[in-house]
Structures are given as C-alpha cells and as structure tokens.
Amino acid sequence: NKFKKIYVLPIFVDIEEIKNKISTFSFKTKYPEFDKIVLVLARLEKEKNIILALTAFQKMRRFNNRLGLVIAGSGREEKWLKVYVKHLGIETNVRFEGWVTDVVSAYKTTDLLLVTSFYEGYGMNIIEALSCGCAVVSTDVGIASEAGAEIVPYDAGEIALKSFDLLVKNTKGVLNPKLIISKDNYLMLYKQTFS
C-alpha cells in the first residue's frame, strides 16, 4: 500500500493577525441609527438560507426597533431578498452592503454574526467572527458547534430569542482555544506530512 499514513490538518486561520488588525471602517459609525447591529456575511444563495435570518430578524426587531441587520455579500438571491425584506416590513432596519473585502472590520464593528445556512463545508466566517470577539448564533453547520457558536435550530422564533438575549447581555464571542494554532506549529505539522 503506497499510502501508509493519512494526515488531517486543520484549516489554518491566523488568529493573532485577526486580533491585531486595525479596523479600516466601522458599521457602527456608518449606521449610527442602530443601537445594535446583526451581521449576515455570506454569498446570497439558497443554501445560505438568508430567508430564515430575515424572518428571525423581523421577530428580533419587535423587541427593539433600533436593531439593524447588515447583509454583506452578493449573489443570485439578492433581488428576491430585497423583495422579501419589503414584504416583512423591515426595510428601514436592513442594509445591503454588497461584498465586503475587509471582513475583520465587519466583525469587529457589529454585535452578532447570524449564520442560518443549510450546510457549510467549514464555516470560516464563524472562526473569524469569534476571533474578533463577535458573538455568533448559528445553525449546526460546519465547525459552528466545535468553534463556540451558540447553536440554534431552524426556527425563526428560537433564533430571535437566542440572538436578542446575547445582544441584551452584550455577549462577546469566544473562539474555542482548542482550535487556535500558531503559524509556526501549523507549518511544523505541515512539514511532517512529507516525512
């Protein structure tokens, strides 16, 4: 058998670089009309299930009319999502940002990342957001549970309650320390795969 060893390496995320990065913009400054900002950062495609995020946000807004939802991303569902926002009557509280190249600034200047995907291969946005101290509420996809996100079912009411609770408590996101690996340690593990 020519394959004697199988190595499984984690996806490397430079946590220290994320923590030390200075924000280049602030959603809090851009949208001062909102007390708290919920972020959806995703491709606007069906598998991201953003309809559920919008429905949950409508319920959250009933608790506080000064909540904002920023949707960062673009995709085939964008036009339909804008129609659905109007249908829900939440257009005064929702902002469509398009693609954001500096995702770290997005996470550092919002209060909560909401992930309602049907599936994720990994969930890099969850790792990055938690590394920035941004609370994460997520369906049980990818690495969400292992990373330290608050896991919710596919239920708009439960998502709204969990999200609003974290917002009221000013909960900060904390990445599971078991997932933190230094660049040097990662490179050492990578080199070992060739020996």
Side-chain angles (χ1 to χ4, degrees), residues 110-147:
T110 53
D111 300 288
L112 183 137
L113 174 69
L114 184 55
V115 179
T116 51
S117 301
F118 289 120
Y119 58 86
E120 290 286 341
Y122 182 69
M124 185 72 78
N125 59 344
I126 294 166
I127 300 292
E128 292 169 336
L130 291 170
S131 298
C132 292
C134 181
V136 178
V137 170
S138 178
T139 50
D140 195 3
V141 293
I143 198 161
S145 180
E146 187 181 351

PDB file of all heavy atoms in Angstrom, residues 110-147:
ATOM      1  N   THR A 110     -19.635  44.973  14.510  1.00  0.00           N
ATOM      2  CA  THR A 110     -21.017  44.532  14.653  1.00  0.00           C
ATOM      3  C   THR A 110     -21.123  43.757  15.966  1.00  0.00           C
ATOM      4  O   THR A 110     -20.114  43.414  16.579  1.00  0.00           O
ATOM      5  CB  THR A 110     -21.469  43.648  13.469  1.00  0.00           C
ATOM      6  OG1 THR A 110     -20.555  42.575  13.299  1.00  0.00           O
ATOM      7  CG2 THR A 110     -21.549  44.426  12.191  1.00  0.00           C
ATOM      8  N   ASP A 111     -22.329  43.483  16.378  1.00  0.00           N
ATOM      9  CA  ASP A 111     -22.534  42.852  17.676  1.00  0.00           C
ATOM     10  C   ASP A 111     -22.757  41.350  17.606  1.00  0.00           C
ATOM     11  O   ASP A 111     -22.504  40.640  18.571  1.00  0.00           O
ATOM     12  CB  ASP A 111     -23.745  43.503  18.372  1.00  0.00           C
ATOM     13  CG  ASP A 111     -23.515  44.983  18.591  1.00  0.00           C
ATOM     14  OD1 ASP A 111     -22.692  45.327  19.466  1.00  0.00           O
ATOM     15  OD2 ASP A 111     -24.122  45.797  17.863  1.00  0.00           O
ATOM     16  N   LEU A 112     -23.220  40.870  16.445  1.00  0.00           N
ATOM     17  CA  LEU A 112     -23.546  39.455  16.351  1.00  0.00           C
ATOM     18  C   LEU A 112     -23.522  39.018  14.891  1.00  0.00           C
ATOM     19  O   LEU A 112     -24.058  39.721  14.027  1.00  0.00           O
ATOM     20  CB  LEU A 112     -24.942  39.222  16.941  1.00  0.00           C
ATOM     21  CG  LEU A 112     -25.437  37.787  17.008  1.00  0.00           C
ATOM     22  CD1 LEU A 112     -26.116  37.545  18.357  1.00  0.00           C
ATOM     23  CD2 LEU A 112     -26.414  37.486  15.900  1.00  0.00           C
ATOM     24  N   LEU A 113     -22.903  37.873  14.634  1.00  0.00           N
ATOM     25  CA  LEU A 113     -22.950  37.253  13.316  1.00  0.00           C
ATOM     26  C   LEU A 113     -24.040  36.195  13.350  1.00  0.00           C
ATOM     27  O   LEU A 113     -24.058  35.344  14.248  1.00  0.00           O
ATOM     28  CB  LEU A 113     -21.611  36.601  12.961  1.00  0.00           C
ATOM     29  CG  LEU A 113     -21.603  35.794  11.652  1.00  0.00           C
ATOM     30  CD1 LEU A 113     -21.727  36.714  10.434  1.00  0.00           C
ATOM     31  CD2 LEU A 113     -20.344  34.938  11.542  1.00  0.00           C
ATOM     32  N   LEU A 114     -24.936  36.236  12.371  1.00  0.00           N
ATOM     33  CA  LEU A 114     -26.018  35.269  12.278  1.00  0.00           C
ATOM     34  C   LEU A 114     -25.788  34.371  11.072  1.00  0.00           C
ATOM     35  O   LEU A 114     -25.663  34.854   9.944  1.00  0.00           O
ATOM     36  CB  LEU A 114     -27.359  36.012  12.158  1.00  0.00           C
ATOM     37  CG  LEU A 114     -28.632  35.173  12.146  1.00  0.00           C
ATOM     38  CD1 LEU A 114     -28.719  34.261  13.365  1.00  0.00           C
ATOM     39  CD2 LEU A 114     -29.844  36.096  12.072  1.00  0.00           C
ATOM     40  N   VAL A 115     -25.698  33.059  11.322  1.00  0.00           N
ATOM     41  CA  VAL A 115     -25.478  32.064  10.264  1.00  0.00           C
ATOM     42  C   VAL A 115     -26.668  31.111  10.278  1.00  0.00           C
ATOM     43  O   VAL A 115     -26.875  30.400  11.258  1.00  0.00           O
ATOM     44  CB  VAL A 115     -24.166  31.277  10.495  1.00  0.00           C
ATOM     45  CG1 VAL A 115     -23.957  30.227   9.414  1.00  0.00           C
ATOM     46  CG2 VAL A 115     -22.974  32.223  10.584  1.00  0.00           C
ATOM     47  N   THR A 116     -27.440  31.103   9.182  1.00  0.00           N
ATOM     48  CA  THR A 116     -28.634  30.253   9.117  1.00  0.00           C
ATOM     49  C   THR A 116     -28.541  29.250   7.962  1.00  0.00           C
ATOM     50  O   THR A 116     -29.553  28.740   7.494  1.00  0.00           O
ATOM     51  CB  THR A 116     -29.897  31.121   8.958  1.00  0.00           C
ATOM     52  OG1 THR A 116     -29.705  32.029   7.862  1.00  0.00           O
ATOM     53  CG2 THR A 116     -30.195  31.893  10.218  1.00  0.00           C
ATOM     54  N   SER A 117     -27.335  28.935   7.538  1.00  0.00           N
ATOM     55  CA  SER A 117     -27.100  28.057   6.389  1.00  0.00           C
ATOM     56  C   SER A 117     -27.685  26.668   6.583  1.00  0.00           C
ATOM     57  O   SER A 117     -27.777  26.168   7.696  1.00  0.00           O
ATOM     58  CB  SER A 117     -25.595  27.890   6.151  1.00  0.00           C
ATOM     59  OG  SER A 117     -24.978  29.122   5.910  1.00  0.00           O
ATOM     60  N   PHE A 118     -28.029  26.056   5.459  1.00  0.00           N
ATOM     61  CA  PHE A 118     -28.426  24.644   5.474  1.00  0.00           C
ATOM     62  C   PHE A 118     -27.195  23.758   5.651  1.00  0.00           C
ATOM     63  O   PHE A 118     -27.265  22.701   6.250  1.00  0.00           O
ATOM     64  CB  PHE A 118     -29.151  24.264   4.185  1.00  0.00           C
ATOM     65  CG  PHE A 118     -30.521  24.862   4.079  1.00  0.00           C
ATOM     66  CD1 PHE A 118     -30.842  25.706   3.027  1.00  0.00           C
ATOM     67  CD2 PHE A 118     -31.499  24.580   5.020  1.00  0.00           C
ATOM     68  CE1 PHE A 118     -32.116  26.252   2.911  1.00  0.00           C
ATOM     69  CE2 PHE A 118     -32.769  25.119   4.919  1.00  0.00           C
ATOM     70  CZ  PHE A 118     -33.076  25.964   3.861  1.00  0.00           C
ATOM     71  N   TYR A 119     -26.060  24.202   5.110  1.00  0.00           N
ATOM     72  CA  TYR A 119     -24.809  23.469   5.276  1.00  0.00           C
ATOM     73  C   TYR A 119     -23.627  24.396   5.030  1.00  0.00           C
ATOM     74  O   TYR A 119     -23.753  25.427   4.373  1.00  0.00           O
ATOM     75  CB  TYR A 119     -24.737  22.249   4.346  1.00  0.00           C
ATOM     76  CG  TYR A 119     -24.876  22.581   2.874  1.00  0.00           C
ATOM     77  CD1 TYR A 119     -23.778  22.947   2.098  1.00  0.00           C
ATOM     78  CD2 TYR A 119     -26.120  22.530   2.257  1.00  0.00           C
ATOM     79  CE1 TYR A 119     -23.920  23.259   0.768  1.00  0.00           C
ATOM     80  CE2 TYR A 119     -26.275  22.835   0.916  1.00  0.00           C
ATOM     81  CZ  TYR A 119     -25.163  23.199   0.169  1.00  0.00           C
ATOM     82  OH  TYR A 119     -25.309  23.514  -1.158  1.00  0.00           O
ATOM     83  N   GLU A 120     -22.495  24.047   5.610  1.00  0.00           N
ATOM     84  CA  GLU A 120     -21.228  24.746   5.412  1.00  0.00           C
ATOM     85  C   GLU A 120     -20.143  23.686   5.313  1.00  0.00           C
ATOM     86  O   GLU A 120     -20.147  22.730   6.092  1.00  0.00           O
ATOM     87  CB  GLU A 120     -20.906  25.665   6.600  1.00  0.00           C
ATOM     88  CG  GLU A 120     -21.776  26.879   6.748  1.00  0.00           C
ATOM     89  CD  GLU A 120     -21.478  27.971   5.739  1.00  0.00           C
ATOM     90  OE1 GLU A 120     -20.378  27.958   5.145  1.00  0.00           O
ATOM     91  OE2 GLU A 120     -22.338  28.830   5.535  1.00  0.00           O
ATOM     92  N   GLY A 121     -19.220  23.861   4.401  1.00  0.00           N
ATOM     93  CA  GLY A 121     -18.094  22.941   4.328  1.00  0.00           C
ATOM     94  C   GLY A 121     -17.223  23.063   5.568  1.00  0.00           C
ATOM     95  O   GLY A 121     -16.751  22.074   6.123  1.00  0.00           O
ATOM     96  N   TYR A 122     -17.011  24.279   6.015  1.00  0.00           N
ATOM     97  CA  TYR A 122     -16.187  24.536   7.198  1.00  0.00           C
ATOM     98  C   TYR A 122     -16.830  25.618   8.052  1.00  0.00           C
ATOM     99  O   TYR A 122     -17.257  25.369   9.169  1.00  0.00           O
ATOM    100  CB  TYR A 122     -14.765  24.927   6.777  1.00  0.00           C
ATOM    101  CG  TYR A 122     -13.827  25.170   7.940  1.00  0.00           C
ATOM    102  CD1 TYR A 122     -13.415  24.125   8.758  1.00  0.00           C
ATOM    103  CD2 TYR A 122     -13.365  26.452   8.228  1.00  0.00           C
ATOM    104  CE1 TYR A 122     -12.565  24.346   9.831  1.00  0.00           C
ATOM    105  CE2 TYR A 122     -12.508  26.672   9.301  1.00  0.00           C
ATOM    106  CZ  TYR A 122     -12.107  25.626  10.094  1.00  0.00           C
ATOM    107  OH  TYR A 122     -11.273  25.849  11.152  1.00  0.00           O
ATOM    108  N   GLY A 123     -16.924  26.813   7.534  1.00  0.00           N
ATOM    109  CA  GLY A 123     -17.507  27.933   8.283  1.00  0.00           C
ATOM    110  C   GLY A 123     -16.437  28.909   8.734  1.00  0.00           C
ATOM    111  O   GLY A 123     -16.375  29.278   9.903  1.00  0.00           O
ATOM    112  N   MET A 124     -15.598  29.337   7.796  1.00  0.00           N
ATOM    113  CA  MET A 124     -14.513  30.270   8.110  1.00  0.00           C
ATOM    114  C   MET A 124     -15.047  31.545   8.755  1.00  0.00           C
ATOM    115  O   MET A 124     -14.422  32.087   9.675  1.00  0.00           O
ATOM    116  CB  MET A 124     -13.749  30.613   6.827  1.00  0.00           C
ATOM    117  CG  MET A 124     -12.543  31.485   7.068  1.00  0.00           C
ATOM    118  SD  MET A 124     -11.198  30.628   7.867  1.00  0.00           S
ATOM    119  CE  MET A 124     -10.549  29.728   6.491  1.00  0.00           C
ATOM    120  N   ASN A 125     -16.214  32.011   8.308  1.00  0.00           N
ATOM    121  CA  ASN A 125     -16.765  33.243   8.884  1.00  0.00           C
ATOM    122  C   ASN A 125     -17.034  33.095  10.382  1.00  0.00           C
ATOM    123  O   ASN A 125     -16.880  34.051  11.143  1.00  0.00           O
ATOM    124  CB  ASN A 125     -18.023  33.686   8.136  1.00  0.00           C
ATOM    125  CG  ASN A 125     -19.140  32.656   8.137  1.00  0.00           C
ATOM    126  OD1 ASN A 125     -18.932  31.478   8.443  1.00  0.00           O
ATOM    127  ND2 ASN A 125     -20.321  33.089   7.780  1.00  0.00           N
ATOM    128  N   ILE A 126     -17.378  31.897  10.825  1.00  0.00           N
ATOM    129  CA  ILE A 126     -17.636  31.655  12.248  1.00  0.00           C
ATOM    130  C   ILE A 126     -16.343  31.782  13.042  1.00  0.00           C
ATOM    131  O   ILE A 126     -16.300  32.444  14.088  1.00  0.00           O
ATOM    132  CB  ILE A 126     -18.280  30.260  12.447  1.00  0.00           C
ATOM    133  CG1 ILE A 126     -19.676  30.248  11.795  1.00  0.00           C
ATOM    134  CG2 ILE A 126     -18.343  29.885  13.918  1.00  0.00           C
ATOM    135  CD1 ILE A 126     -20.276  28.877  11.630  1.00  0.00           C
ATOM    136  N   ILE A 127     -15.269  31.173  12.543  1.00  0.00           N
ATOM    137  CA  ILE A 127     -13.958  31.242  13.200  1.00  0.00           C
ATOM    138  C   ILE A 127     -13.475  32.694  13.258  1.00  0.00           C
ATOM    139  O   ILE A 127     -13.034  33.176  14.304  1.00  0.00           O
ATOM    140  CB  ILE A 127     -12.911  30.377  12.449  1.00  0.00           C
ATOM    141  CG1 ILE A 127     -13.337  28.912  12.414  1.00  0.00           C
ATOM    142  CG2 ILE A 127     -11.524  30.546  13.042  1.00  0.00           C
ATOM    143  CD1 ILE A 127     -13.325  28.219  13.742  1.00  0.00           C
ATOM    144  N   GLU A 128     -13.577  33.387  12.133  1.00  0.00           N
ATOM    145  CA  GLU A 128     -13.099  34.771  12.075  1.00  0.00           C
ATOM    146  C   GLU A 128     -13.900  35.674  13.016  1.00  0.00           C
ATOM    147  O   GLU A 128     -13.322  36.492  13.737  1.00  0.00           O
ATOM    148  CB  GLU A 128     -13.192  35.291  10.639  1.00  0.00           C
ATOM    149  CG  GLU A 128     -12.222  34.622   9.691  1.00  0.00           C
ATOM    150  CD  GLU A 128     -12.503  34.937   8.229  1.00  0.00           C
ATOM    151  OE1 GLU A 128     -13.658  35.271   7.886  1.00  0.00           O
ATOM    152  OE2 GLU A 128     -11.558  34.826   7.427  1.00  0.00           O
ATOM    153  N   ALA A 129     -15.216  35.528  13.018  1.00  0.00           N
ATOM    154  CA  ALA A 129     -16.054  36.379  13.874  1.00  0.00           C
ATOM    155  C   ALA A 129     -15.752  36.146  15.348  1.00  0.00           C
ATOM    156  O   ALA A 129     -15.570  37.107  16.115  1.00  0.00           O
ATOM    157  CB  ALA A 129     -17.533  36.121  13.583  1.00  0.00           C
ATOM    158  N   LEU A 130     -15.699  34.879  15.759  1.00  0.00           N
ATOM    159  CA  LEU A 130     -15.386  34.582  17.163  1.00  0.00           C
ATOM    160  C   LEU A 130     -14.005  35.103  17.537  1.00  0.00           C
ATOM    161  O   LEU A 130     -13.798  35.586  18.652  1.00  0.00           O
ATOM    162  CB  LEU A 130     -15.480  33.074  17.415  1.00  0.00           C
ATOM    163  CG  LEU A 130     -16.896  32.478  17.364  1.00  0.00           C
ATOM    164  CD1 LEU A 130     -16.837  30.961  17.370  1.00  0.00           C
ATOM    165  CD2 LEU A 130     -17.742  32.996  18.519  1.00  0.00           C
ATOM    166  N   SER A 131     -13.051  35.029  16.617  1.00  0.00           N
ATOM    167  CA  SER A 131     -11.697  35.547  16.869  1.00  0.00           C
ATOM    168  C   SER A 131     -11.703  37.056  17.094  1.00  0.00           C
ATOM    169  O   SER A 131     -10.841  37.588  17.782  1.00  0.00           O
ATOM    170  CB  SER A 131     -10.770  35.219  15.694  1.00  0.00           C
ATOM    171  OG  SER A 131     -10.651  33.831  15.536  1.00  0.00           O
ATOM    172  N   CYS A 132     -12.684  37.733  16.496  1.00  0.00           N
ATOM    173  CA  CYS A 132     -12.816  39.182  16.652  1.00  0.00           C
ATOM    174  C   CYS A 132     -13.628  39.563  17.884  1.00  0.00           C
ATOM    175  O   CYS A 132     -13.815  40.749  18.161  1.00  0.00           O
ATOM    176  CB  CYS A 132     -13.484  39.777  15.410  1.00  0.00           C
ATOM    177  SG  CYS A 132     -12.473  39.707  13.929  1.00  0.00           S
ATOM    178  N   GLY A 133     -14.139  38.574  18.600  1.00  0.00           N
ATOM    179  CA  GLY A 133     -14.965  38.862  19.763  1.00  0.00           C
ATOM    180  C   GLY A 133     -16.424  39.102  19.426  1.00  0.00           C
ATOM    181  O   GLY A 133     -17.200  39.550  20.268  1.00  0.00           O
ATOM    182  N   CYS A 134     -16.808  38.805  18.189  1.00  0.00           N
ATOM    183  CA  CYS A 134     -18.192  38.974  17.755  1.00  0.00           C
ATOM    184  C   CYS A 134     -18.967  37.709  18.111  1.00  0.00           C
ATOM    185  O   CYS A 134     -18.557  36.601  17.764  1.00  0.00           O
ATOM    186  CB  CYS A 134     -18.221  39.209  16.237  1.00  0.00           C
ATOM    187  SG  CYS A 134     -19.864  39.472  15.548  1.00  0.00           S
ATOM    188  N   ALA A 135     -20.074  37.862  18.824  1.00  0.00           N
ATOM    189  CA  ALA A 135     -20.907  36.711  19.160  1.00  0.00           C
ATOM    190  C   ALA A 135     -21.443  36.080  17.880  1.00  0.00           C
ATOM    191  O   ALA A 135     -21.663  36.776  16.893  1.00  0.00           O
ATOM    192  CB  ALA A 135     -22.059  37.144  20.061  1.00  0.00           C
ATOM    193  N   VAL A 136     -21.638  34.755  17.896  1.00  0.00           N
ATOM    194  CA  VAL A 136     -22.138  34.044  16.721  1.00  0.00           C
ATOM    195  C   VAL A 136     -23.314  33.159  17.121  1.00  0.00           C
ATOM    196  O   VAL A 136     -23.214  32.364  18.053  1.00  0.00           O
ATOM    197  CB  VAL A 136     -21.037  33.172  16.071  1.00  0.00           C
ATOM    198  CG1 VAL A 136     -21.599  32.395  14.882  1.00  0.00           C
ATOM    199  CG2 VAL A 136     -19.845  34.029  15.638  1.00  0.00           C
ATOM    200  N   VAL A 137     -24.418  33.323  16.401  1.00  0.00           N
ATOM    201  CA  VAL A 137     -25.560  32.427  16.515  1.00  0.00           C
ATOM    202  C   VAL A 137     -25.647  31.700  15.186  1.00  0.00           C
ATOM    203  O   VAL A 137     -25.667  32.325  14.123  1.00  0.00           O
ATOM    204  CB  VAL A 137     -26.861  33.212  16.802  1.00  0.00           C
ATOM    205  CG1 VAL A 137     -28.079  32.304  16.686  1.00  0.00           C
ATOM    206  CG2 VAL A 137     -26.793  33.841  18.184  1.00  0.00           C
ATOM    207  N   SER A 138     -25.663  30.360  15.255  1.00  0.00           N
ATOM    208  CA  SER A 138     -25.583  29.579  14.026  1.00  0.00           C
ATOM    209  C   SER A 138     -26.404  28.307  14.105  1.00  0.00           C
ATOM    210  O   SER A 138     -26.557  27.714  15.173  1.00  0.00           O
ATOM    211  CB  SER A 138     -24.112  29.208  13.749  1.00  0.00           C
ATOM    212  OG  SER A 138     -23.989  28.406  12.596  1.00  0.00           O
ATOM    213  N   THR A 139     -26.894  27.887  12.943  1.00  0.00           N
ATOM    214  CA  THR A 139     -27.431  26.544  12.844  1.00  0.00           C
ATOM    215  C   THR A 139     -26.247  25.588  12.978  1.00  0.00           C
ATOM    216  O   THR A 139     -25.086  26.013  12.878  1.00  0.00           O
ATOM    217  CB  THR A 139     -28.154  26.359  11.482  1.00  0.00           C
ATOM    218  OG1 THR A 139     -27.294  26.799  10.428  1.00  0.00           O
ATOM    219  CG2 THR A 139     -29.455  27.145  11.449  1.00  0.00           C
ATOM    220  N   ASP A 140     -26.509  24.334  13.210  1.00  0.00           N
ATOM    221  CA  ASP A 140     -25.437  23.365  13.475  1.00  0.00           C
ATOM    222  C   ASP A 140     -24.797  22.904  12.169  1.00  0.00           C
ATOM    223  O   ASP A 140     -25.052  21.813  11.672  1.00  0.00           O
ATOM    224  CB  ASP A 140     -25.990  22.172  14.267  1.00  0.00           C
ATOM    225  CG  ASP A 140     -24.890  21.331  14.891  1.00  0.00           C
ATOM    226  OD1 ASP A 140     -23.700  21.697  14.752  1.00  0.00           O
ATOM    227  OD2 ASP A 140     -25.207  20.299  15.508  1.00  0.00           O
ATOM    228  N   VAL A 141     -23.974  23.782  11.619  1.00  0.00           N
ATOM    229  CA  VAL A 141     -23.311  23.518  10.341  1.00  0.00           C
ATOM    230  C   VAL A 141     -21.802  23.676  10.487  1.00  0.00           C
ATOM    231  O   VAL A 141     -21.331  24.410  11.360  1.00  0.00           O
ATOM    232  CB  VAL A 141     -23.815  24.468   9.228  1.00  0.00           C
ATOM    233  CG1 VAL A 141     -25.263  24.183   8.888  1.00  0.00           C
ATOM    234  CG2 VAL A 141     -23.647  25.933   9.628  1.00  0.00           C
ATOM    235  N   GLY A 142     -21.063  22.988   9.617  1.00  0.00           N
ATOM    236  CA  GLY A 142     -19.610  23.132   9.608  1.00  0.00           C
ATOM    237  C   GLY A 142     -19.018  22.980  10.988  1.00  0.00           C
ATOM    238  O   GLY A 142     -19.336  22.060  11.735  1.00  0.00           O
ATOM    239  N   ILE A 143     -18.188  23.925  11.343  1.00  0.00           N
ATOM    240  CA  ILE A 143     -17.452  23.880  12.609  1.00  0.00           C
ATOM    241  C   ILE A 143     -18.120  24.697  13.710  1.00  0.00           C
ATOM    242  O   ILE A 143     -17.548  24.900  14.775  1.00  0.00           O
ATOM    243  CB  ILE A 143     -15.995  24.358  12.354  1.00  0.00           C
ATOM    244  CG1 ILE A 143     -15.082  23.920  13.482  1.00  0.00           C
ATOM    245  CG2 ILE A 143     -15.967  25.869  12.118  1.00  0.00           C
ATOM    246  CD1 ILE A 143     -13.622  23.937  13.144  1.00  0.00           C
ATOM    247  N   ALA A 144     -19.350  25.154  13.481  1.00  0.00           N
ATOM    248  CA  ALA A 144     -20.030  26.069  14.412  1.00  0.00           C
ATOM    249  C   ALA A 144     -20.030  25.576  15.849  1.00  0.00           C
ATOM    250  O   ALA A 144     -19.632  26.311  16.762  1.00  0.00           O
ATOM    251  CB  ALA A 144     -21.460  26.323  13.942  1.00  0.00           C
ATOM    252  N   SER A 145     -20.457  24.350  16.072  1.00  0.00           N
ATOM    253  CA  SER A 145     -20.563  23.820  17.431  1.00  0.00           C
ATOM    254  C   SER A 145     -19.200  23.712  18.098  1.00  0.00           C
ATOM    255  O   SER A 145     -19.014  24.137  19.238  1.00  0.00           O
ATOM    256  CB  SER A 145     -21.248  22.448  17.389  1.00  0.00           C
ATOM    257  OG  SER A 145     -21.359  21.926  18.677  1.00  0.00           O
ATOM    258  N   GLU A 146     -18.239  23.153  17.382  1.00  0.00           N
ATOM    259  CA  GLU A 146     -16.886  22.978  17.925  1.00  0.00           C
ATOM    260  C   GLU A 146     -16.202  24.319  18.188  1.00  0.00           C
ATOM    261  O   GLU A 146     -15.430  24.462  19.128  1.00  0.00           O
ATOM    262  CB  GLU A 146     -16.052  22.152  16.938  1.00  0.00           C
ATOM    263  CG  GLU A 146     -14.692  21.760  17.455  1.00  0.00           C
ATOM    264  CD  GLU A 146     -13.883  20.968  16.432  1.00  0.00           C
ATOM    265  OE1 GLU A 146     -14.426  20.579  15.382  1.00  0.00           O
ATOM    266  OE2 GLU A 146     -12.693  20.753  16.690  1.00  0.00           O
ATOM    267  N   ALA A 147     -16.515  25.317  17.365  1.00  0.00           N
ATOM    268  CA  ALA A 147     -15.846  26.614  17.473  1.00  0.00           C
ATOM    269  C   ALA A 147     -16.295  27.434  18.673  1.00  0.00           C
ATOM    270  O   ALA A 147     -15.540  28.230  19.208  1.00  0.00           O
ATOM    271  CB  ALA A 147     -16.060  27.420  16.195  1.00  0.00           C
TER     272      ALA A 147
END
